[in-house]
């Protein structure tokens, strides 16, 4: 779908590479610009996992991209990069604020050689303001934007979600913005300056919560609740409950009176008249009642009433979940002597999962091909390699 989009990606770790991967999955030609010693996420693996030497973090967010490796500080390296900017529709970067400018590849410099460039910068806090120069990382943003405070209980302690959700949401927002700018470019021929950041993305995850809190003139006391309740602004029994053989969530659905009657506790029936005002009391009684229930009993009781509930699954259960398998959510590929396992692109197009085309296993493995396509001769490329301006890498790829 995006086969005509060419992206020059100065990205590292998760937010930037994940945004580039969304575009690459949709068909864009994404060229990842790496330092001579490789992108940061090559040396860091989630849970210290490396498959045949390749970081799990790297191969989780760099699918379908190509890699070139260039010394960005050298004069000839700058010449290489400007030749690639001239060939690109999009320059995407998530370096610390000011880094690309200091290297000579800021927005004005890029626009000078490519007037209609889409220049997309992803940062932690934003490109200006009191936090602009501070380190911006998922956990820091979750703390500052309120996600941790509303996820946990302020009495027993705030709770951090188990995955860097802000990084991934920010990546999706950036991919969305680039697609919009590309449509504009196709219609008008004009480029766009795009700026996104983790702070705004973290706040965006709380759209409903934020509106309810401030429009209702609430205070932070409103966050206090039974720790089983999953949300401060939704009525009981919306939460997580311990059963005899597992944990389960109950969202409700159906009719609350029928739910209370099905559970069979008379106190629940009385409290269900106002589930918001009585949310803690209702949750406490329900929580104690369900401790002796098995999931099978809960299923047999609530299924006929069209109630909303589900078993809490761990990753091992997810791996064999029939709906996950049907949706083709998991991809595997060979990495040398090992096997990489990742989540597939989340959207289906005409009923199909975007194709897994390639993975740049070696640093700079596509440097020669990319430079030749940009007009560099074989002799010039060899000269750049001898001078240490580029790393030609090896051509081993995942299949």
């Amino acid at each position: 779908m995006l086969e005509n989009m060419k992206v020059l990606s100065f990205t590292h770790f998760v937010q930037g590479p994940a945004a580039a991967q969304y575009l690459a999955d949709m068909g864009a030609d994404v060229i990842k610009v790496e330092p001579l010693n490789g992108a940061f996420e090559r040396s860091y693996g989630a849970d210290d996992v490396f498959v045949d030497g390749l970081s799990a973090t790297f191969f989780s967010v760099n699918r379908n991209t190509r890699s070139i490796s260039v010394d960005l500080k050298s004069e000839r390296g700058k010449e290489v990069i400007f030749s690639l900017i001239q060939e690109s529709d999009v320059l995407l970067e998530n370096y610390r604020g000011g880094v690309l400018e200091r290297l000579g590849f800021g927005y004005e410099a890029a626009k000078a050689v490519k007037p209609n460039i889409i220049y997309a910068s992803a940062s932690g806090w934003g490109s200006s303001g009191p936090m602009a120069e501070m380190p911006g990382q998922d956990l820091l943003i979750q703390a500052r934007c309120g996600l941790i405070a509303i996820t946990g209980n302020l009495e027993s302690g705030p709770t951090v979600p188990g995955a860097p959700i802000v990084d991934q949401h920010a990546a999706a927002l950036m991919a969305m913005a680039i697609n919009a700018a590309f449509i504009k470019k196709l219609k008008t021929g004009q480029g766009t300056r795009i700026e996104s950041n983790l702070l705004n993305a973290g706040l965006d995850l709380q759209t409903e919560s934020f509106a309810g809190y401030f429009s209702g003139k609430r205070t932070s006391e409103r966050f206090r609740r039974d720790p089983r309740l999953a949300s401060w602004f939704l009525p009981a029994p919306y939460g997580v409950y311990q059963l005899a053989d597992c944990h389960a969530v109950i969202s409700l659905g159906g009719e609350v009176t029928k739910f209370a009657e099905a559970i069979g506790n008379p106190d629940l029936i009385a409290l269900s008249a106002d589930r918001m005002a009585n949310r803690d009391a209702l949750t406490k009684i329900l929580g104690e009642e369900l401790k002796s229930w098995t999931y099978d009993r809960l299923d047999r009781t609530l299924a006929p009433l069209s109630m909303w509930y589900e078993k809490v699954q761990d990753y091992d259960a997810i791996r064999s979940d029939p709906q996950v398998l049907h949706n083709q959510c998991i991809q595997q590929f060979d990495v040398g002597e090992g096997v990489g396992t990742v989540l597939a692109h989340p959207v289906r197009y005409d009923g199909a999962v975007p194709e897994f085309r390639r993975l740049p296993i070696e640093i700079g493995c596509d440097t020669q091909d990319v430079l030749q396509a940009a007009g560099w001769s074989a002799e010039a490329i060899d000269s750049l390699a001898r001078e240490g301006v580029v790393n030609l890498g090896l051509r081993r790829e995942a299949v």
Side-chain angles (χ1 to χ4, degrees):
M1 292 176 292
L2 297 179
E3 285 78 7
N4 293 326
M5 179 192 288
K6 191 165 188 176
V7 180
L8 197 60
S9 175
F10 296 83
T11 60
H12 62 106
F13 209 24
V14 175
Q15 179 193 13
Q21 179 173 268
Y22 284 132
L23 298 172
D25 285 346
M26 290 184 278
D29 180 14
V30 175
I31 299 169
K32 183 180 181 72
V33 181
E34 302 191 57
L36 296 180
N37 59 349
F40 173 79
E41 70 270 21
R42 285 187 183 271
S43 62
Y44 170 83
D47 199 31
D48 203 25
V49 172
F50 291 79
V51 178
D52 199 41
L54 189 64
S55 152
T57 297
F58 181 86
F59 64 65
S60 72
V61 291
N62 285 286
R63 174 179 58 229
N64 289 332
T65 65
R66 298 197 284 167
S67 168
I68 66 168
S69 182
V70 183
D71 177 6
L72 299 180
K73 296 180 180 179
S74 69
E75 288 305 313
R76 293 204 73 192
K78 290 179 169 58
E79 185 182 351
V80 168
I81 294 302
F82 280 122
S83 73
L84 297 179
I85 291 174
Q86 288 178 317
E87 302 292 319
S88 300
D89 299 295
V90 181
L91 188 155
L92 169 62
E93 62 96 7
N94 73 317
Y95 283 20
R96 285 277 296 274
V99 169
L100 271 196
E101 283 79 3
R102 290 192 291 274
L103 289 170
F105 309 118
Y107 175 57
E108 294 302 329
K111 191 177 178 182
V113 299
K114 181 76 170 184
N116 64 347
I117 191 73
I118 296 169
Y119 196 100
S121 297
S123 63
W125 306 100
S127 61
S128 60
M131 296 292 293
E133 299 302 317
M134 300 298 290
Q137 183 269 336
D138 189 285
L139 185 62
L140 308 183
I141 273 73
Q142 286 195 36
R144 189 153 181 139
C145 77
L147 266 176
I148 294 175
I150 68 165
T151 301
N153 184 292
L154 293 181
E155 292 178 340
S156 60
T159 302
V160 182
I165 58 176
V166 179
D167 269 340
Q168 208 66 40
H169 184 54
L173 292 176
M174 174 57 89
M176 177 181 71
I178 289 172
N179 278 335
F182 190 58
I183 292 171
K184 170 189 168 183
K185 182 177 180 179
L186 294 176
K187 290 176 62 178
T188 69
Q190 299 175 350
T192 304
R193 178 76 166 102
I194 298 172
E195 296 178 274
S196 70
N197 63 74
L198 292 174
L199 176 60
N200 290 14
L203 289 168
D204 189 62
L205 286 168
Q206 304 168 77
T207 300
E208 183 184 9
S209 177
F210 203 83
Y213 185 87
F214 285 105
S215 301
K217 297 180 172 58
R218 305 303 191 214
T219 69
S220 59
E221 287 296 314
R222 193 63 174 166
F223 297 157
R224 299 182 185 276
R225 61 192 186 275
D226 186 294
R228 284 165 288 215
L229 287 166
S231 170
W232 71 267
F233 62 88
L234 292 172
Y238 192 90
V240 184
Y241 296 88
Q242 182 179 348
L243 306 184
D245 56 350
C246 67
H247 285 81
V249 297
I250 299 176
S251 175
L252 198 61
E255 296 181 22
V256 64
T257 303
K258 289 184 178 180
F259 168 78
E261 291 173 349
I263 297 298
N265 188 307
D267 293 330
L268 286 180
I269 298 173
L271 291 170
S272 64
D274 192 336
R275 293 185 293 133
M276 197 67 193
N278 300 323
R279 63 178 186 173
D280 282 7
L282 192 156
T283 300
K284 182 177 181 181
I285 292 171
L286 180 62
E288 291 301 314
E289 174 70 31
L290 292 180
K291 284 181 179 179
S292 63
W293 286 45
T294 63
Y295 186 77
D296 181 66
R297 180 182 175 186
L298 186 75
D299 186 36
R300 286 185 285 105
T301 301
L302 299 186
L305 303 177
S306 300
M307 300 298 176
W308 300 346
Y309 60 95
E310 189 55 74
K311 182 184 289 187
V312 175
Q313 296 193 139
D314 62 15
Y315 276 15
D316 291 323
I318 293 167
R319 181 75 178 266
S320 58
D321 183 286
Q323 190 64 48
V324 172
L325 294 174
H326 175 80
N327 289 356
Q328 302 177 60
C329 293
I330 298 173
Q331 278 184 335
Q332 288 189 306
F333 46 85
D334 293 334
V335 182
E337 298 299 317
V339 176
T341 302
V342 298
L343 290 172
H345 185 85
V347 182
R348 303 296 172 260
Y349 305 95
D350 294 326
V353 181
E355 178 186 5
F356 178 92
R357 304 189 305 277
R358 64 189 328 277
L359 182 72
I361 293 179
E362 301 294 344
I363 302 167
C365 59
D366 302 292
T367 302
Q368 183 140 359
D369 290 343
V370 170
L371 294 187
Q372 283 180 339
W376 291 77
S377 68
E379 293 76 13
I381 296 170
D382 288 341
S383 173
L384 292 171
R386 285 195 304 272
E387 295 171 21
V389 176
V390 300
N391 178 356
L392 299 183
L394 301 173
R395 295 184 178 277
R396 179 168 67 97
E397 294 185 5
V399 293

